[in-house]
Every structure is written in structure tokens, then in C-alpha cells.
Amino acid sequence: MSRDELFSAKQNHIVDFVFDEQVVAVFPDMIRRSVPGYETVIPMTGLMAARHLTNNDVAYDLGCSLGATTLAILQQTDLAGVNVIGVDNAPAMIDKARSQVTDPRARFECADLTEFDVTDAKVVILNFVMQFLPLAARTPLLRRLRAQMRPDGLLIVSEKVRQPDPNLHERFDATHLAWKRANGYSDLEVSQKRQALENVMRVDTEEIHERRFREAGFTQSTTWFRCLNWASFIATSEPSTGR
Ligand SMILES: C[S@@+](CC[C@H](N)C(=O)[O-])C[C@H]1O[C@@H](n2cnc3c(N)ncnc32)[C@H](O)[C@@H]1O
């Protein structure tokens, strides 16, 4: 795994963060050292998705990057007729995902997820991607997903979140910075990456996420995981089956 040193040298002009070839080359190391809980959320969302799928069902991994979630789903099911479709609008991500994930049940599409058709999806996962969409695009996206998914479909959304209490938010944020330093990032790397993300990443509170799920037609939702300012939600439209 190549080490993420993208922000280690002093930059005179910090440009907005983009998922380009440079990021793709170090992405697994970058996300593992930057997102608290990533190494729990990915396998666990894969397991939850796999448990919800029966043979011939389709799952969508929207904002799939290198296909970590796609792979996590497929590792948890032996059903030969299951298909997982990974969607990302960064060509470099999709090229590498296609070359790395060789399971014939996986397919990758280079497309804008806000326009991608998920008709009859049994599971849709958005792991750490809604935070990069314009705020105004989020409810329409969830409405479209709800309308296109199967009535018994499962939605999983993982995100960076904002605490309603600013003091608590700051305390968690400071712990996150300390965790990044403990993972080998310097103060310069942390602050330059923050600047690069400032204009492209907009985070909501858990309450806003929950409200949005309801507005979009999901009748049940809950936070199943949270670590500092990162959370993961499941949303459905039917009484829970207890699975
Ligand atoms: C933080 S990464 C997601 C990580 C990935 N889900 C995982 O868990 O490993 C965000 C990804 O979303 C993609 N993305 C952002 N906006 C998108 C859009 N409108 N349509 C499709 N992909 C998008 C980016 O290219 C990037 O690969």
C-alpha cells in the first residue's frame, strides 16, 4: 500500500481536494489513517448488506472509490446470483477498482451517482460520499433512491458529522487531530489537507440526516455506529425484520 504524503511538502497555494490519480495512488492508506472507524465501518456495512441480499438481488456501492465496500459485500456472501454495482465519477478510481476487484459478481460504472439508476436495488450504500455532494442535492438524491429501490430495500449512509454542541464538536475534532498525528501525519499535512477539503466537504448533524431520511420516505432510520465525528446510519421503509 503506497503511503499518503500528498500534503507533506509546504504548498504556496492550496487547491481544492479532488479525487485524481495522485489521490488514487495513496487512497487506501489515506482513508485508513484519516477516517476513524473506517476499518470497522467497511466490513460491517458489507456484512449488513450481504445479510439483506437473497440470490439474484442487486446492491449498489455509490461513491465506491476503489471498491472496498463492493468487495466487503461480496466477501460475505456465497450467493452466485448476487450482483454489486460500484459507481464513481472519478475515472482513475474506476480504472483501478476494475483492475483490483476481479469477482465476476462485481461491476464498476464511471458515472455521477446523483443521476444513476438503481431500480430494484435491494441495498444501496453511500460510504463517505454524501458529504461531497452539494447540500441541495442530498434530499432529491435520497428521494430518488427511495423511489427506485425495492420496498424492502436497505440504505446505508456513512458520513463525517457535526455535533450540535460546538464544544463537544471541537473536543471530538481535537481528538481526531491527535489520532491523525498518532497515525504519522504532521501538523503541516493535517492543516494543508483541511484547507483543501474546506470548500468541497459539507457536513451535517445526525439530526439533519435523520430528518432527511424521513423527508425522502424512509420510515425507519438509526445511527448504528459513531466514532468521534464520524457516523453510519441504516434506513429502511418497513418494520425491522430483526436481522
Ligand atoms: C471518500 S471517497 C468514498 C470512499 C469509499 N466509499 C470507501 O468507503 O472506500 C468519496 C468518493 O466519492 C466519489 N464521488 C464524489 N462525488 C461523486 C458523484 N457525484 N458521483 C459519483 N462519485 C462521486 C469520489 O470520486 C470518491 O471516490
Side-chain angles (χ1 to χ4, degrees), residues 19 27 31 38 42 63-65 68-69 88-90 93 111-113 127-129 132-133:
F19 291 96
F27 187 74
I31 196 152
Y38 181 79
I42 299 305
C64 63
S65 295
T69 302
D88 203 288
N89 64 356
M93 286 289 188
D112 184 338
L113 68 89
N127 273 340
F128 310 108
V129 60
F132 294 107
L133 303 180

Side-chain angles (χ1 to χ4, degrees), residues 17-20 23-24 27-28 31 35 38 41-42 45 61-70 87-91 93-94 109-116 125-134 158 201:
F17 190 88
V18 281
F19 291 96
D20 58 11
V23 170
V24 169
F27 187 74
I31 196 152
V35 175
Y38 181 79
V41 168
I42 299 305
T45 53
D61 174 11
L62 302 183
C64 63
S65 295
L66 302 180
T69 302
T70 296
V87 179
D88 203 288
N89 64 356
M93 286 289 188
I94 290 295
E109 300 284 349
C110 190
D112 184 338
L113 68 89
T114 62
E115 291 165 7
F116 199 81
I125 305 187
L126 292 123
N127 273 340
F128 310 108
V129 60
M130 191 149 28
Q131 59 208 21
F132 294 107
L133 303 180
S158 309
M201 195 166 156

Side-chain angles (χ1 to χ4, degrees), residues 161-215:
V161 292
R162 181 164 46 83
Q163 303 304 322
D165 172 357
N167 291 331
L168 184 62
H169 187 85
E170 245 170 63
R171 185 140 31 105
F172 283 170
D173 197 43
T175 308
H176 177 230
L177 293 188
W179 180 77
K180 287 188 80 167
R181 279 189 216 104
N183 283 342
Y185 283 117
S186 68
D187 288 345
L188 180 68
E189 283 176 293
V190 171
S191 83
Q192 293 194 135
K193 175 140 182 239
R194 282 213 155 191
Q195 265 179 273
L197 282 170
E198 212 162 56
N199 294 325
V200 291
M201 195 166 156
R202 300 256 182 267
V203 301
D204 296 313
T205 61
E206 286 170 62
E207 200 190 335
I208 291 174
H209 281 289
E210 296 275 1
R211 200 183 315 139
R212 203 181 272 136
F213 292 136
R214 297 284 180 280
E215 282 169 11

Side-chain angles (χ1 to χ4, degrees), residues 115-166:
E115 291 165 7
F116 199 81
D117 185 358
V118 300
T119 299
D120 286 339
K122 186 71 175 289
V123 174
V124 174
I125 305 187
L126 292 123
N127 273 340
F128 310 108
V129 60
M130 191 149 28
Q131 59 208 21
F132 294 107
L133 303 180
L135 290 174
R138 297 178 188 186
T139 304
L141 168 67
L142 292 183
R143 280 212 179 99
R144 205 171 50 78
L145 295 179
R146 181 50 275 161
Q148 293 184 343
M149 286 170 75
R150 296 247 303 262
D152 58 348
L154 172 70
L155 175 74
I156 302 177
V157 175
S158 309
E159 287 277 285
K160 185 171 186 180
V161 292
R162 181 164 46 83
Q163 303 304 322
D165 172 357

